[in-house]
Amino acid sequence: GLKVNGLSISESEMKNALDKGAKLILSVKPGVFSRGPHIIEIYGYDDSGFKVNEPLSVKRSSETYKFDQFKDIIKAIWAYTN
């Protein structure tokens, strides 16, 4: 029952999808979140950055991230809604 759409790697497109109630799944390369390929969820944003559910780290899940901190490691983005 999920509706899923692929997004381009764009901060404004990510924020637009989140504003419409979607959550985002990102496939990322090694870097900010892990030493290998990884999947994270972005569930919102505010003035300090994007809010992340990072399954490998409670600490990283409690932080926010500016788009510039992780844009270069994004492989793909999917927006999903129920």
Side-chain angles (χ1 to χ4, degrees), residues 18-52:
L18 291 165
D19 289 343
K20 291 179 179 177
K23 293 183 181 176
L24 310 178
I25 299 293
L26 279 66
S27 172
V28 295
K29 302 173 196 173
V32 176
F33 302 106
S34 70
R35 290 186 216 151
H38 193 46
I39 299 286
I40 62 169
E41 177 190 53
I42 294 181
Y43 63 90
Y45 69 93
D46 60 23
D47 290 340
S48 64
F50 286 96
K51 299 175 181 182
V52 174

PDB file of all heavy atoms in Angstrom, residues 18-52:
ATOM      1  N   LEU A  18       8.941  16.186   1.570  1.00  0.00           N
ATOM      2  CA  LEU A  18       8.706  16.151   3.019  1.00  0.00           C
ATOM      3  C   LEU A  18       7.546  17.066   3.408  1.00  0.00           C
ATOM      4  O   LEU A  18       6.719  16.712   4.250  1.00  0.00           O
ATOM      5  CB  LEU A  18       9.980  16.550   3.770  1.00  0.00           C
ATOM      6  CG  LEU A  18      11.127  15.540   3.700  1.00  0.00           C
ATOM      7  CD1 LEU A  18      12.432  16.185   4.151  1.00  0.00           C
ATOM      8  CD2 LEU A  18      10.826  14.300   4.523  1.00  0.00           C
ATOM      9  N   ASP A  19       7.460  18.233   2.778  1.00  0.00           N
ATOM     10  CA  ASP A  19       6.365  19.165   3.050  1.00  0.00           C
ATOM     11  C   ASP A  19       5.005  18.567   2.687  1.00  0.00           C
ATOM     12  O   ASP A  19       3.986  18.930   3.270  1.00  0.00           O
ATOM     13  CB  ASP A  19       6.564  20.482   2.294  1.00  0.00           C
ATOM     14  CG  ASP A  19       7.691  21.332   2.846  1.00  0.00           C
ATOM     15  OD1 ASP A  19       8.122  21.098   3.994  1.00  0.00           O
ATOM     16  OD2 ASP A  19       8.157  22.232   2.109  1.00  0.00           O
ATOM     17  N   LYS A  20       5.004  17.646   1.736  1.00  0.00           N
ATOM     18  CA  LYS A  20       3.758  16.990   1.307  1.00  0.00           C
ATOM     19  C   LYS A  20       3.457  15.745   2.139  1.00  0.00           C
ATOM     20  O   LYS A  20       2.527  15.002   1.820  1.00  0.00           O
ATOM     21  CB  LYS A  20       3.845  16.626  -0.170  1.00  0.00           C
ATOM     22  CG  LYS A  20       3.847  17.843  -1.068  1.00  0.00           C
ATOM     23  CD  LYS A  20       3.950  17.447  -2.523  1.00  0.00           C
ATOM     24  CE  LYS A  20       3.917  18.682  -3.411  1.00  0.00           C
ATOM     25  NZ  LYS A  20       4.082  18.332  -4.827  1.00  0.00           N
ATOM     26  N   GLY A  21       4.257  15.493   3.185  1.00  0.00           N
ATOM     27  CA  GLY A  21       3.987  14.379   4.079  1.00  0.00           C
ATOM     28  C   GLY A  21       4.740  13.095   3.792  1.00  0.00           C
ATOM     29  O   GLY A  21       4.528  12.090   4.464  1.00  0.00           O
ATOM     30  N   ALA A  22       5.610  13.103   2.805  1.00  0.00           N
ATOM     31  CA  ALA A  22       6.388  11.908   2.490  1.00  0.00           C
ATOM     32  C   ALA A  22       7.563  11.762   3.462  1.00  0.00           C
ATOM     33  O   ALA A  22       7.958  12.722   4.134  1.00  0.00           O
ATOM     34  CB  ALA A  22       6.925  11.987   1.059  1.00  0.00           C
ATOM     35  N   LYS A  23       8.103  10.566   3.515  1.00  0.00           N
ATOM     36  CA  LYS A  23       9.393  10.306   4.147  1.00  0.00           C
ATOM     37  C   LYS A  23      10.320   9.875   3.021  1.00  0.00           C
ATOM     38  O   LYS A  23       9.865   9.430   1.967  1.00  0.00           O
ATOM     39  CB  LYS A  23       9.272   9.228   5.212  1.00  0.00           C
ATOM     40  CG  LYS A  23       8.448   9.689   6.398  1.00  0.00           C
ATOM     41  CD  LYS A  23       8.400   8.640   7.474  1.00  0.00           C
ATOM     42  CE  LYS A  23       7.539   9.149   8.624  1.00  0.00           C
ATOM     43  NZ  LYS A  23       7.376   8.151   9.659  1.00  0.00           N
ATOM     44  N   LEU A  24      11.623  10.010   3.246  1.00  0.00           N
ATOM     45  CA  LEU A  24      12.589   9.725   2.200  1.00  0.00           C
ATOM     46  C   LEU A  24      13.505   8.580   2.589  1.00  0.00           C
ATOM     47  O   LEU A  24      13.971   8.515   3.727  1.00  0.00           O
ATOM     48  CB  LEU A  24      13.442  10.962   1.918  1.00  0.00           C
ATOM     49  CG  LEU A  24      12.705  12.280   1.677  1.00  0.00           C
ATOM     50  CD1 LEU A  24      13.704  13.404   1.464  1.00  0.00           C
ATOM     51  CD2 LEU A  24      11.743  12.168   0.507  1.00  0.00           C
ATOM     52  N   ILE A  25      13.757   7.703   1.643  1.00  0.00           N
ATOM     53  CA  ILE A  25      14.770   6.658   1.799  1.00  0.00           C
ATOM     54  C   ILE A  25      15.920   7.040   0.881  1.00  0.00           C
ATOM     55  O   ILE A  25      15.715   7.317  -0.303  1.00  0.00           O
ATOM     56  CB  ILE A  25      14.224   5.273   1.399  1.00  0.00           C
ATOM     57  CG1 ILE A  25      13.048   4.876   2.276  1.00  0.00           C
ATOM     58  CG2 ILE A  25      15.340   4.228   1.436  1.00  0.00           C
ATOM     59  CD1 ILE A  25      13.390   4.631   3.718  1.00  0.00           C
ATOM     60  N   LEU A  26      17.122   7.075   1.444  1.00  0.00           N
ATOM     61  CA  LEU A  26      18.315   7.407   0.658  1.00  0.00           C
ATOM     62  C   LEU A  26      19.267   6.232   0.642  1.00  0.00           C
ATOM     63  O   LEU A  26      19.548   5.642   1.684  1.00  0.00           O
ATOM     64  CB  LEU A  26      19.060   8.609   1.251  1.00  0.00           C
ATOM     65  CG  LEU A  26      18.537  10.002   0.914  1.00  0.00           C
ATOM     66  CD1 LEU A  26      17.181  10.251   1.499  1.00  0.00           C
ATOM     67  CD2 LEU A  26      19.535  11.047   1.347  1.00  0.00           C
ATOM     68  N   SER A  27      19.748   5.901  -0.527  1.00  0.00           N
ATOM     69  CA  SER A  27      20.866   4.977  -0.680  1.00  0.00           C
ATOM     70  C   SER A  27      22.111   5.850  -0.757  1.00  0.00           C
ATOM     71  O   SER A  27      22.180   6.755  -1.592  1.00  0.00           O
ATOM     72  CB  SER A  27      20.699   4.163  -1.963  1.00  0.00           C
ATOM     73  OG  SER A  27      21.861   3.393  -2.208  1.00  0.00           O
ATOM     74  N   VAL A  28      23.061   5.610   0.159  1.00  0.00           N
ATOM     75  CA  VAL A  28      24.251   6.462   0.223  1.00  0.00           C
ATOM     76  C   VAL A  28      25.535   5.639   0.115  1.00  0.00           C
ATOM     77  O   VAL A  28      25.583   4.473   0.489  1.00  0.00           O
ATOM     78  CB  VAL A  28      24.273   7.311   1.516  1.00  0.00           C
ATOM     79  CG1 VAL A  28      23.117   8.298   1.532  1.00  0.00           C
ATOM     80  CG2 VAL A  28      24.247   6.452   2.757  1.00  0.00           C
ATOM     81  N   LYS A  29      26.558   6.290  -0.389  1.00  0.00           N
ATOM     82  CA  LYS A  29      27.899   5.717  -0.468  1.00  0.00           C
ATOM     83  C   LYS A  29      28.576   5.849   0.897  1.00  0.00           C
ATOM     84  O   LYS A  29      28.079   6.555   1.777  1.00  0.00           O
ATOM     85  CB  LYS A  29      28.728   6.481  -1.505  1.00  0.00           C
ATOM     86  CG  LYS A  29      28.140   6.505  -2.890  1.00  0.00           C
ATOM     87  CD  LYS A  29      28.957   7.426  -3.768  1.00  0.00           C
ATOM     88  CE  LYS A  29      28.209   7.798  -5.018  1.00  0.00           C
ATOM     89  NZ  LYS A  29      28.897   8.817  -5.805  1.00  0.00           N
ATOM     90  N   PRO A  30      29.723   5.214   1.074  1.00  0.00           N
ATOM     91  CA  PRO A  30      30.469   5.401   2.326  1.00  0.00           C
ATOM     92  C   PRO A  30      30.737   6.885   2.571  1.00  0.00           C
ATOM     93  O   PRO A  30      30.921   7.653   1.637  1.00  0.00           O
ATOM     94  CB  PRO A  30      31.775   4.656   2.069  1.00  0.00           C
ATOM     95  CG  PRO A  30      31.461   3.670   1.003  1.00  0.00           C
ATOM     96  CD  PRO A  30      30.404   4.320   0.144  1.00  0.00           C
ATOM     97  N   GLY A  31      30.723   7.265   3.846  1.00  0.00           N
ATOM     98  CA  GLY A  31      30.984   8.664   4.176  1.00  0.00           C
ATOM     99  C   GLY A  31      30.425   9.036   5.520  1.00  0.00           C
ATOM    100  O   GLY A  31      30.745   8.433   6.526  1.00  0.00           O
ATOM    101  N   VAL A  32      29.545  10.005   5.532  1.00  0.00           N
ATOM    102  CA  VAL A  32      29.006  10.595   6.757  1.00  0.00           C
ATOM    103  C   VAL A  32      28.358   9.545   7.663  1.00  0.00           C
ATOM    104  O   VAL A  32      28.509   9.601   8.877  1.00  0.00           O
ATOM    105  CB  VAL A  32      27.960  11.686   6.410  1.00  0.00           C
ATOM    106  CG1 VAL A  32      27.308  12.258   7.650  1.00  0.00           C
ATOM    107  CG2 VAL A  32      28.593  12.779   5.578  1.00  0.00           C
ATOM    108  N   PHE A  33      27.643   8.577   7.089  1.00  0.00           N
ATOM    109  CA  PHE A  33      26.834   7.670   7.887  1.00  0.00           C
ATOM    110  C   PHE A  33      27.444   6.286   8.112  1.00  0.00           C
ATOM    111  O   PHE A  33      27.055   5.601   9.052  1.00  0.00           O
ATOM    112  CB  PHE A  33      25.448   7.527   7.257  1.00  0.00           C
ATOM    113  CG  PHE A  33      24.746   8.854   7.129  1.00  0.00           C
ATOM    114  CD1 PHE A  33      24.618   9.470   5.897  1.00  0.00           C
ATOM    115  CD2 PHE A  33      24.241   9.500   8.250  1.00  0.00           C
ATOM    116  CE1 PHE A  33      23.982  10.701   5.777  1.00  0.00           C
ATOM    117  CE2 PHE A  33      23.608  10.731   8.141  1.00  0.00           C
ATOM    118  CZ  PHE A  33      23.480  11.328   6.904  1.00  0.00           C
ATOM    119  N   SER A  34      28.347   5.856   7.257  1.00  0.00           N
ATOM    120  CA  SER A  34      28.926   4.521   7.426  1.00  0.00           C
ATOM    121  C   SER A  34      30.198   4.382   6.578  1.00  0.00           C
ATOM    122  O   SER A  34      30.501   5.235   5.752  1.00  0.00           O
ATOM    123  CB  SER A  34      27.922   3.443   7.020  1.00  0.00           C
ATOM    124  OG  SER A  34      27.727   3.461   5.618  1.00  0.00           O
ATOM    125  N   ARG A  35      30.870   3.285   6.800  1.00  0.00           N
ATOM    126  CA  ARG A  35      32.098   3.005   6.027  1.00  0.00           C
ATOM    127  C   ARG A  35      31.808   2.248   4.741  1.00  0.00           C
ATOM    128  O   ARG A  35      32.711   1.991   3.958  1.00  0.00           O
ATOM    129  CB  ARG A  35      33.062   2.192   6.885  1.00  0.00           C
ATOM    130  CG  ARG A  35      33.633   2.993   8.010  1.00  0.00           C
ATOM    131  CD  ARG A  35      34.676   2.186   8.734  1.00  0.00           C
ATOM    132  NE  ARG A  35      34.568   2.524  10.143  1.00  0.00           N
ATOM    133  CZ  ARG A  35      34.868   1.739  11.134  1.00  0.00           C
ATOM    134  NH1 ARG A  35      35.306   0.525  10.901  1.00  0.00           N
ATOM    135  NH2 ARG A  35      34.735   2.136  12.369  1.00  0.00           N
ATOM    136  N   GLY A  36      30.569   1.860   4.550  1.00  0.00           N
ATOM    137  CA  GLY A  36      30.178   1.129   3.345  1.00  0.00           C
ATOM    138  C   GLY A  36      28.872   1.666   2.820  1.00  0.00           C
ATOM    139  O   GLY A  36      28.284   2.588   3.398  1.00  0.00           O
ATOM    140  N   PRO A  37      28.365   1.090   1.729  1.00  0.00           N
ATOM    141  CA  PRO A  37      27.064   1.497   1.219  1.00  0.00           C
ATOM    142  C   PRO A  37      26.014   1.327   2.319  1.00  0.00           C
ATOM    143  O   PRO A  37      26.127   0.436   3.166  1.00  0.00           O
ATOM    144  CB  PRO A  37      26.809   0.533   0.067  1.00  0.00           C
ATOM    145  CG  PRO A  37      28.163   0.024  -0.310  1.00  0.00           C
ATOM    146  CD  PRO A  37      28.971   0.014   0.945  1.00  0.00           C
ATOM    147  N   HIS A  38      24.996   2.161   2.292  1.00  0.00           N
ATOM    148  CA  HIS A  38      24.070   2.193   3.422  1.00  0.00           C
ATOM    149  C   HIS A  38      22.734   2.788   2.988  1.00  0.00           C
ATOM    150  O   HIS A  38      22.640   3.451   1.965  1.00  0.00           O
ATOM    151  CB  HIS A  38      24.707   3.060   4.517  1.00  0.00           C
ATOM    152  CG  HIS A  38      24.088   2.988   5.857  1.00  0.00           C
ATOM    153  ND1 HIS A  38      23.738   1.822   6.469  1.00  0.00           N
ATOM    154  CD2 HIS A  38      23.750   3.973   6.720  1.00  0.00           C
ATOM    155  CE1 HIS A  38      23.223   2.090   7.659  1.00  0.00           C
ATOM    156  NE2 HIS A  38      23.211   3.386   7.833  1.00  0.00           N
ATOM    157  N   ILE A  39      21.699   2.543   3.784  1.00  0.00           N
ATOM    158  CA  ILE A  39      20.366   3.110   3.577  1.00  0.00           C
ATOM    159  C   ILE A  39      19.999   3.913   4.829  1.00  0.00           C
ATOM    160  O   ILE A  39      20.182   3.443   5.946  1.00  0.00           O
ATOM    161  CB  ILE A  39      19.314   2.003   3.372  1.00  0.00           C
ATOM    162  CG1 ILE A  39      19.622   1.158   2.146  1.00  0.00           C
ATOM    163  CG2 ILE A  39      17.911   2.577   3.312  1.00  0.00           C
ATOM    164  CD1 ILE A  39      19.351   1.832   0.830  1.00  0.00           C
ATOM    165  N   ILE A  40      19.473   5.127   4.631  1.00  0.00           N
ATOM    166  CA  ILE A  40      18.982   5.938   5.744  1.00  0.00           C
ATOM    167  C   ILE A  40      17.586   6.449   5.397  1.00  0.00           C
ATOM    168  O   ILE A  40      17.185   6.448   4.229  1.00  0.00           O
ATOM    169  CB  ILE A  40      19.908   7.137   6.067  1.00  0.00           C
ATOM    170  CG1 ILE A  40      20.003   8.091   4.868  1.00  0.00           C
ATOM    171  CG2 ILE A  40      21.280   6.669   6.519  1.00  0.00           C
ATOM    172  CD1 ILE A  40      20.662   9.419   5.189  1.00  0.00           C
ATOM    173  N   GLU A  41      16.869   6.901   6.415  1.00  0.00           N
ATOM    174  CA  GLU A  41      15.570   7.525   6.212  1.00  0.00           C
ATOM    175  C   GLU A  41      15.649   8.979   6.676  1.00  0.00           C
ATOM    176  O   GLU A  41      16.256   9.273   7.706  1.00  0.00           O
ATOM    177  CB  GLU A  41      14.496   6.813   7.041  1.00  0.00           C
ATOM    178  CG  GLU A  41      13.129   7.483   6.914  1.00  0.00           C
ATOM    179  CD  GLU A  41      12.107   6.945   7.894  1.00  0.00           C
ATOM    180  OE1 GLU A  41      12.401   6.930   9.115  1.00  0.00           O
ATOM    181  OE2 GLU A  41      11.035   6.556   7.436  1.00  0.00           O
ATOM    182  N   ILE A  42      15.059   9.860   5.910  1.00  0.00           N
ATOM    183  CA  ILE A  42      14.907  11.258   6.321  1.00  0.00           C
ATOM    184  C   ILE A  42      13.422  11.487   6.528  1.00  0.00           C
ATOM    185  O   ILE A  42      12.605  11.224   5.646  1.00  0.00           O
ATOM    186  CB  ILE A  42      15.494  12.230   5.284  1.00  0.00           C
ATOM    187  CG1 ILE A  42      17.008  12.036   5.208  1.00  0.00           C
ATOM    188  CG2 ILE A  42      15.133  13.674   5.642  1.00  0.00           C
ATOM    189  CD1 ILE A  42      17.721  12.940   4.241  1.00  0.00           C
ATOM    190  N   TYR A  43      13.072  11.965   7.729  1.00  0.00           N
ATOM    191  CA  TYR A  43      11.662  12.104   8.076  1.00  0.00           C
ATOM    192  C   TYR A  43      11.227  13.552   8.279  1.00  0.00           C
ATOM    193  O   TYR A  43      10.053  13.812   8.539  1.00  0.00           O
ATOM    194  CB  TYR A  43      11.330  11.282   9.323  1.00  0.00           C
ATOM    195  CG  TYR A  43      12.054  11.712  10.574  1.00  0.00           C
ATOM    196  CD1 TYR A  43      11.493  12.660  11.423  1.00  0.00           C
ATOM    197  CD2 TYR A  43      13.305  11.192  10.890  1.00  0.00           C
ATOM    198  CE1 TYR A  43      12.155  13.060  12.573  1.00  0.00           C
ATOM    199  CE2 TYR A  43      13.969  11.578  12.036  1.00  0.00           C
ATOM    200  CZ  TYR A  43      13.397  12.503  12.872  1.00  0.00           C
ATOM    201  OH  TYR A  43      14.059  12.905  14.006  1.00  0.00           O
ATOM    202  N   GLY A  44      12.134  14.501   8.135  1.00  0.00           N
ATOM    203  CA  GLY A  44      11.766  15.895   8.290  1.00  0.00           C
ATOM    204  C   GLY A  44      12.969  16.804   8.195  1.00  0.00           C
ATOM    205  O   GLY A  44      14.095  16.346   7.953  1.00  0.00           O
ATOM    206  N   TYR A  45      12.741  18.085   8.393  1.00  0.00           N
ATOM    207  CA  TYR A  45      13.828  19.061   8.398  1.00  0.00           C
ATOM    208  C   TYR A  45      13.367  20.291   9.168  1.00  0.00           C
ATOM    209  O   TYR A  45      12.183  20.511   9.379  1.00  0.00           O
ATOM    210  CB  TYR A  45      14.269  19.436   6.981  1.00  0.00           C
ATOM    211  CG  TYR A  45      13.261  20.243   6.195  1.00  0.00           C
ATOM    212  CD1 TYR A  45      13.309  21.636   6.186  1.00  0.00           C
ATOM    213  CD2 TYR A  45      12.242  19.621   5.472  1.00  0.00           C
ATOM    214  CE1 TYR A  45      12.376  22.382   5.476  1.00  0.00           C
ATOM    215  CE2 TYR A  45      11.309  20.352   4.763  1.00  0.00           C
ATOM    216  CZ  TYR A  45      11.382  21.729   4.764  1.00  0.00           C
ATOM    217  OH  TYR A  45      10.465  22.463   4.072  1.00  0.00           O
ATOM    218  N   ASP A  46      14.340  21.060   9.604  1.00  0.00           N
ATOM    219  CA  ASP A  46      14.071  22.356  10.219  1.00  0.00           C
ATOM    220  C   ASP A  46      15.231  23.280   9.861  1.00  0.00           C
ATOM    221  O   ASP A  46      16.033  22.941   8.977  1.00  0.00           O
ATOM    222  CB  ASP A  46      13.839  22.239  11.738  1.00  0.00           C
ATOM    223  CG  ASP A  46      15.018  21.659  12.493  1.00  0.00           C
ATOM    224  OD1 ASP A  46      16.176  21.721  11.994  1.00  0.00           O
ATOM    225  OD2 ASP A  46      14.807  21.140  13.604  1.00  0.00           O
ATOM    226  N   ASP A  47      15.339  24.411  10.524  1.00  0.00           N
ATOM    227  CA  ASP A  47      16.396  25.371  10.187  1.00  0.00           C
ATOM    228  C   ASP A  47      17.802  24.821  10.393  1.00  0.00           C
ATOM    229  O   ASP A  47      18.752  25.294   9.774  1.00  0.00           O
ATOM    230  CB  ASP A  47      16.236  26.649  11.018  1.00  0.00           C
ATOM    231  CG  ASP A  47      15.012  27.450  10.606  1.00  0.00           C
ATOM    232  OD1 ASP A  47      14.515  27.258   9.476  1.00  0.00           O
ATOM    233  OD2 ASP A  47      14.547  28.269  11.419  1.00  0.00           O
ATOM    234  N   SER A  48      17.940  23.804  11.251  1.00  0.00           N
ATOM    235  CA  SER A  48      19.282  23.257  11.508  1.00  0.00           C
ATOM    236  C   SER A  48      19.666  22.158  10.529  1.00  0.00           C
ATOM    237  O   SER A  48      20.830  21.790  10.444  1.00  0.00           O
ATOM    238  CB  SER A  48      19.383  22.734  12.943  1.00  0.00           C
ATOM    239  OG  SER A  48      18.504  21.657  13.148  1.00  0.00           O
ATOM    240  N   GLY A  49      18.718  21.610   9.773  1.00  0.00           N
ATOM    241  CA  GLY A  49      19.043  20.594   8.783  1.00  0.00           C
ATOM    242  C   GLY A  49      18.005  19.492   8.699  1.00  0.00           C
ATOM    243  O   GLY A  49      16.911  19.589   9.261  1.00  0.00           O
ATOM    244  N   PHE A  50      18.377  18.413   7.995  1.00  0.00           N
ATOM    245  CA  PHE A  50      17.497  17.269   7.808  1.00  0.00           C
ATOM    246  C   PHE A  50      17.565  16.344   9.013  1.00  0.00           C
ATOM    247  O   PHE A  50      18.629  16.122   9.584  1.00  0.00           O
ATOM    248  CB  PHE A  50      17.891  16.495   6.540  1.00  0.00           C
ATOM    249  CG  PHE A  50      17.511  17.197   5.276  1.00  0.00           C
ATOM    250  CD1 PHE A  50      18.431  17.987   4.609  1.00  0.00           C
ATOM    251  CD2 PHE A  50      16.237  17.081   4.747  1.00  0.00           C
ATOM    252  CE1 PHE A  50      18.089  18.643   3.434  1.00  0.00           C
ATOM    253  CE2 PHE A  50      15.881  17.733   3.578  1.00  0.00           C
ATOM    254  CZ  PHE A  50      16.814  18.517   2.928  1.00  0.00           C
ATOM    255  N   LYS A  51      16.401  15.780   9.369  1.00  0.00           N
ATOM    256  CA  LYS A  51      16.296  14.841  10.486  1.00  0.00           C
ATOM    257  C   LYS A  51      16.381  13.423   9.933  1.00  0.00           C
ATOM    258  O   LYS A  51      15.638  13.073   9.011  1.00  0.00           O
ATOM    259  CB  LYS A  51      14.980  15.053  11.219  1.00  0.00           C
ATOM    260  CG  LYS A  51      14.860  16.460  11.802  1.00  0.00           C
ATOM    261  CD  LYS A  51      13.499  16.681  12.407  1.00  0.00           C
ATOM    262  CE  LYS A  51      13.400  18.098  12.948  1.00  0.00           C
ATOM    263  NZ  LYS A  51      12.101  18.335  13.587  1.00  0.00           N
ATOM    264  N   VAL A  52      17.286  12.632  10.505  1.00  0.00           N
ATOM    265  CA  VAL A  52      17.640  11.337   9.943  1.00  0.00           C
ATOM    266  C   VAL A  52      17.356  10.206  10.918  1.00  0.00           C
ATOM    267  O   VAL A  52      17.671  10.313  12.103  1.00  0.00           O
ATOM    268  CB  VAL A  52      19.156  11.342   9.575  1.00  0.00           C
ATOM    269  CG1 VAL A  52      19.615   9.979   9.117  1.00  0.00           C
ATOM    270  CG2 VAL A  52      19.436  12.387   8.516  1.00  0.00           C
TER     271      VAL A  52
END
